[in-house]
Amino acid sequence: MDKMDKFEVLKKYFGYDGFREGQELLIDGILEGQDVMGIMPTGSGKSLCYQVPALMLPGITLVISPLISLMKDQVAALNQAGIHAAFLNSSLSYNQYRKALAFAREGRYPIIYVAPERLVTEEFLDFALHAEISMVAVDEAHCVSQWGQDFRPSYLKIVEFVERLPRRPVLSAFTATATSQVREDVVGILRLENPVMVTTGYDRPNLYLGVQSPRDKYAAMRNFVERHPGQSGIVYCATRKLVEEVCGKLIRDGFRATRYHAGLGDAERRNNQDDFIYDRSLVMVATNAFGMGIDKSNVRYVVHYNMPKNLESYYQEVGRCARDGEPGECVLLYGGQDVVTNQFFIDNNQDNEELDEAARELVMARDRERLKKMTFYCFTNDCLREYVLKYFGEYHSANYCGNCCNCLQHFETTDVTETARALIGCVSACGQRYGAAVILDTVRGADTAKIRQYHMDENIYYARLSKIPVYTLRSVLNYLLMQGYLTTTDDAYAVVRLTESSREVSAGNRIVTMKLPKDKERPAEGKRSRRQVGAGVSDRGLFDTLRALRSEIAREEGVPPYLVFSDKTLEHMCVVKPKDKGEMLTVTGVGEFKFEKYGRRFLKKIAETEN
Ligand code: ADP
Ligand code: MG
Ligand code: ZN
């Protein structure tokens, strides 16, 4: 492969026509011999940033990756594309390991994935010190930082390793975690020299974002799954118990569902994960233990059965949706109990035993603050995408994304000053002693034991707002909290308190307006017609035929279907309807090598279907 340029490599091996945002800058930096750091969200194509130059640089590229499953998946994908790559980690027997090293010595692999703890072992060093290492690429580079979510002490060995090499290779680092603390750590700890830094957008415009507060979560979720026949999706639940329950119900209702949580044995977890990856099971019901290291690109939807503890987790989890860039749908099913559950987890978090009392308090306060922001996400009537991007510190000018439930819902700006004054008045009249639920129950005039016990039925605001629907009251109260017209204490009770601004409202010096839904009730999800995979294809039949062929090939080769061709590739194929090799190579995701392997079978199938 002498003197192919980066575009030729991209086309020949990966079958793509162009680079995505950020990729070229990073690749060019590497090719010029500079260190680089890429901070790009999940699914944006970080692997290509080191894989393309790896195929152009003279020697070997070592890729450091924290997880065996990640390495396996990537090596499988590279082999599928006709690139010799190998991994060296503890999943190999000693003999396999020695054999792989021997091949590596012969220079068979331009790309080798290595677990960090292997780097400074005698045997590996013996190989590396005598080989030409052109680049060390550190994937999931946030693992070097103690501030990151998954600190791996073994990542600290990377520096030691690099310093022992006779010639310093180019260092490249990649992560999806962007906080400045982690960024500084990566540059400092890995000792990147004057690196080219590239940060690209956190926006995933192909993901539809939605929030619902259904009375019956299971029914809402099942309904959603039903509307996505034949498509892969993940349903995240807060607890193992709920995973068992929801998965069981889905199976009973005739869905091809499987499950994943830390309570299952290793073998079963691996099995269920494979069933999902290989499309044998379509719905994965899981706790947040599932997902790290899953590169499956055609997950079409992610449903959150419970609200996660913070937006970091939420965005990471929905990030697993639609990594192929095709449309994907992410819906969060909110319930008030979710807040309580998360509060409980925060208050009883014993994860980090090294923390002293003061540090623990600090962590708790931070976690409560994050939970609050997560809860506001479920209640805001503004663009959800903008809310998330703002949270991650990204400026986003357009406040209408057109692909979230709020942008698609008709709102009208409503004057809620009177309601706001009553709510604030109630907080004041009860001596700022109760949480949001009690305040709401009071103004709507609920007749519950708790209200009587607290004597709130004697409060002058009792039943003052009984004519306004409770979901509107809840929206207004949440808006007041979001905008700082009211606040809550930081302890577990989240007592509602007054602020400077509340006094302005009660004094009549401030008008409060907010967006409220025009329709009486939010319309059921799914009445809207959104673009679905394969829907851009006029010929749904052909799409399904090609999908069936893909499954057949995947079965024959024992690889996941998306490694044969992605959904996007199949969709494009339906549009191009190639008649020969030349036309087939214009399809996105079809490179030379894959054409040799599968091209003709697809051409034949298209010809048959078209006649
Ligand atoms: P990340 O590591 O950033 O989460 P990956 O490297 O796993 O993302 O890439 C996600 C998906 O995007 C893969 O299916 C990959 O083939 C695809 N991809 C990457 N770069 C391009 C590109 N330039 N054009 C089209 N698809 C791409
Ligand atoms: Mg990656
Ligand atoms: Zn929006």
Side-chain angles (χ1 to χ4, degrees), residues 10 16 18-20 23 41-48 74 295 297 323:
L10 183 68
Y16 300 135
F19 289 102
R20 289 189 182 156
Q23 289 180 329
T42 303
S44 57
K46 290 185 285 294
S47 339
L48 221 78
Q74 299 234 355
D295 267 351
S297 71
R323 297 178 62 161

Side-chain angles (χ1 to χ4, degrees), residues 143-374:
C143 291
V144 300
S145 170
Q146 310 209 27
W147 295 97
Q149 294 208 315
D150 353 73
F151 172 53
R152 304 267 162 151
S154 56
Y155 259 55
L156 301 173
K157 300 201 161 109
I158 298 171
V159 207
E160 187 188 334
F161 169 75
V162 169
E163 296 197 330
R164 291 181 70 164
L165 292 176
R167 211 178 53 119
R168 187 182 184 279
V170 171
L171 285 185
S172 57
F174 301 89
T175 178
T177 315
T179 65
S180 56
Q181 193 101 46
V182 171
R183 198 175 311 195
E184 279 168 28
D185 270 5
V186 171
V187 173
I189 293 171
L190 292 180
R191 304 204 185 135
L192 301 185
E193 289 174 6
N194 198 14
V196 177
M197 302 284 285
V198 173
T199 308
T200 65
Y202 268 68
D203 195 5
R204 298 277 315 277
N206 60 318
L207 297 186
Y208 164 84
L209 300 175
V211 176
Q212 294 176 25
S213 311
R215 218 173 282 268
D216 180 346
K217 281 194 182 189
Y218 179 74
M221 187 272 298
R222 190 189 55 198
N223 183 270
F224 187 90
V225 174
E226 253 164 11
R227 284 190 289 102
H228 295 76
Q231 299 189 341
S232 287
I234 305 174
V235 177
Y236 278 112
C237 299
T239 61
R240 299 174 190 183
K241 195 166 150 245
L242 202 53
V243 167
E244 292 291 337
E245 183 188 317
V246 169
C247 182
K249 277 193 195 167
L250 277 176
I251 290 172
R252 219 171 312 131
D253 286 345
F255 295 95
R256 277 156 59 200
T258 185
R259 67 204 203 287
Y260 191 105
H261 59 69
L264 301 174
D266 278 351
E268 184 172 7
R269 267 197 317 224
R270 203 165 349 154
N271 234 327
N272 295 354
Q273 173 170 324
D274 279 352
D275 281 348
F276 180 64
I277 289 176
Y278 287 79
D279 290 345
R280 291 188 291 262
S281 295
L282 285 175
V283 187
M284 172 56 89
V285 185
T287 61
N288 60 8
F290 177 74
M292 246 296 239
I294 308 295
D295 267 351
K296 184 175 169 66
S297 71
N298 65 338
V299 175
R300 294 268 67 91
Y301 60 87
V302 171
V303 176
H304 277 77
Y305 207 81
N306 303 100
M307 180 183 77
K309 61 181 187 295
N310 55 42
L311 273 164
E312 283 90 343
S313 314
Y314 184 62
Y315 211 53
Q316 183 173 45
E317 282 153 23
V318 301
R320 298 179 182 129
C321 187
R323 297 178 62 161
D324 51 13
E326 289 289 278
E329 286 183 59
C330 308
V331 173
L332 195 165
L333 304 179
Y334 173 86
Q337 188 59 36
D338 297 339
V339 182
V340 179
T341 309
N342 278 308
Q343 284 284 10
F344 177 83
F345 284 149
I346 291 173
D347 295 338
N348 295 282
N349 183 0
Q350 304 293 341
D351 276 358
N352 214 332
E353 288 165 358
E354 294 152 37
L355 297 182
D356 60 28
E357 203 44 47
R360 194 186 300 280
E361 274 305 315
L362 219 86
V363 168
M364 269 195 195
R366 195 194 60 195
D367 288 350
R368 286 200 195 99
E369 188 58 30
R370 288 184 179 172
L371 175 59
K372 222 189 245 180
K373 296 269 167 56
M374 181 75 241

Side-chain angles (χ1 to χ4, degrees), residues 380-382 405-414 515-519 522:
T380 181
N381 287 337
D382 290 327
C405 62
N406 289 345
C407 285
L408 291 167
Q409 163 82 277
H410 292 294
F411 287 107
E412 58 194 351
T413 303
T414 313
K515 291 202 277 175
L516 283 175
K518 241 181 181 155
D519 321 351
R522 292 187 172 203

